[in-house]
Amino acid sequence: MNDTTADLETEVRRLRVRIIGLTPTQLARPGEGATVPRRQAIAEALAEISSIGSDGRAVPDVGDQSLADQVVVLIETGMRRAHALEPEGGERILSRLLEAAVDLRRRLA
């Protein structure tokens, strides 16, 4: 799980910086090549990440200032859950979380 965990931790740092750097105007517009506004892309990713690592718990809308924190907390919660499972199941969760994180980062470009 080490390589996937390291890659996921890198994506978490990238996402935090990327999301914090977005202005309200940028959040309201789609990213390059995307069709939905960045704010919606983040909300969709939060729901997906929650379904992967947090048993699909509802993610409250707490405003733009907390979007980066929500993404980070949900991914880290999923990582802790994955590390508590047997290696095979944990690796599957980590891989899915990594895929969701990379997809979100690309949608925010």
Side-chain angles (χ1 to χ4, degrees), residues 21-35:
L22 293 171
T23 66
T25 301
Q26 290 171 318
L27 284 168
R29 294 185 180 148
E32 187 176 315
T35 58

Side-chain angles (χ1 to χ4, degrees), residues 6-98:
D7 291 344
L8 193 49
E9 288 171 349
T10 298
E11 284 303 320
V12 166
R13 287 190 298 275
R14 289 176 178 166
L15 281 170
R16 181 189 298 263
V17 169
R18 180 69 181 128
I19 294 169
I20 288 172
L22 293 171
T23 66
T25 301
Q26 290 171 318
L27 284 168
R29 294 185 180 148
E32 187 176 315
T35 58
V36 300
R38 289 177 179 98
R39 186 178 288 112
Q40 182 179 338
I42 294 169
E44 290 170 359
L46 286 169
E48 179 182 5
I49 293 166
S50 178
S51 73
I52 296 167
S54 299
D55 296 325
R57 283 183 268 171
V59 179
D61 180 356
V62 292
D64 292 350
Q65 299 296 353
S66 299
L67 289 173
D69 292 334
Q70 285 182 298
V71 169
V72 169
V73 167
L74 280 175
I75 291 173
E76 288 177 348
T77 298
M79 289 172 63
R80 281 191 302 277
R81 177 177 173 232
H83 288 287
L85 297 174
E86 76 283 347
E88 210 172 278
E91 185 62 37
R92 267 195 310 274
I93 288 175
L94 289 174
S95 293
R96 290 179 61 206
L97 287 170
L98 178 60

